[in-house]
Amino acid sequence: MTETKLREEICLFGRSLFERGLTPGSSGNISVRLEDGGWLVTPTNASLGFLDPARLSRLDAQGHLLAGDRPTKEIPLHAAVYETRGPARAIVHLHSTHSVAVSMLPEIDPRAVLPPMTPYYLMRAGQTALVPYYRPGDPAVADAIRGLGGRYSSVLLANHGPVVAGESLEGAVFAAEELEETAKLYLLLRGLNPRYLSPAQVADLTAVFGLTLPEPDAGHAGCDGPACNHPDHHHHG
Ligand SMILES: [Zn+2]
């Protein structure tokens, strides 16, 4: 896809997400990785509903601004995802209400924020990891993302919002939407003792659709003590 087409796509999807209330005000940001290793990123303080294709931030592979407005301050977040998750070509970050709400619930498993509720959640968003709260712009959030080792295509920042990677912008947007709708379902059903997908049903989806869901107990190897911030090592549920 040409850079011109990608610029238009970022603005179209941004507007669609904004108009459906998936990220309010000037919150949220989108990035797409280009063939030359550089990126297109939404500018800082820009509403996703009113993006101008010509003013998107164009960065080189080292993250220097080549053209356009100043990029979002959440660049380190995007960089950490691209660094650890090879196939990722696009990232969508939203402040979507239901996902943010779920991030604050006490029972949340940081290795699987949402239970396997629907096939499309698993097929599009996979399994979602929870990253603890960090002040916006705190570079430590990038370290927390690196600590996940690229095993998750979707990550939820506590009290903040989801960060979802895809092999295309459309894939990342659809996955972010699926995550938000699943968070909404979770809240609708919370306390009602719903029937989630069984382990056998999840195994069937995994086999038939070739899903690569993170293993519940993977990632323990290589932990070198208390400095490790791998969420697997801090879950005692
Ligand atoms: Zn944000």
Side-chain angles (χ1 to χ4, degrees), residues 74 93 95 160:
E74 294 185 292
H93 166 56
H95 294 185
H160 183 167

Side-chain angles (χ1 to χ4, degrees), residues 1-15 17 29-43 48 51-59 82 88-92 166-173:
M1 195 177 288
T2 65
E3 187 179 319
T4 311
K5 194 89 190 100
L6 280 171
R7 285 175 179 270
E8 286 167 10
E9 229 189 34
I10 290 171
C11 299
L12 280 174
F13 278 120
R15 181 164 176 177
L17 291 164
N29 38 70
I30 296 173
S31 70
V32 173
R33 195 148 65 160
L34 301 169
E35 297 290 330
D36 66 0
W39 323 349
L40 284 172
V41 193
T42 52
L48 292 193
L51 295 169
D52 177 348
R55 291 179 60 181
L56 295 176
S57 317
R58 171 66 162 97
L59 308 182
Y82 287 127
R89 308 304 298 180
I91 296 169
V92 174
E167 292 175 28
S168 66
L169 178 56
E170 183 184 77
V173 168

Side-chain angles (χ1 to χ4, degrees), residues 103-160:
S103 82
M104 297 179 230
L105 294 175
E107 74 270 23
I108 294 306
D109 179 347
R111 302 164 305 177
V113 165
L114 292 162
M117 302 186 74
T118 68
Y120 282 90
Y121 168 65
L122 294 175
M123 287 155 63
R124 296 206 196 280
Q127 204 167 288
T128 307
L130 183 73
V131 163
Y133 172 76
Y134 291 95
R135 172 171 35 78
D138 184 342
V141 73
D143 296 333
I145 298 242
R146 282 190 198 93
L148 298 171
R151 294 186 303 125
Y152 296 85
S153 62
S154 60
V155 169
L156 182 56
L157 310 178
N159 305 70
H160 183 167

Side-chain angles (χ1 to χ4, degrees), residues 23 26-29 72 74 77 93-95 136 157 160-163:
T23 205
S26 64
S27 70
N29 38 70
T72 166
E74 294 185 292
L77 195 71
H93 166 56
L94 304 172
H95 294 185
L157 310 178
H160 183 167
V163 179

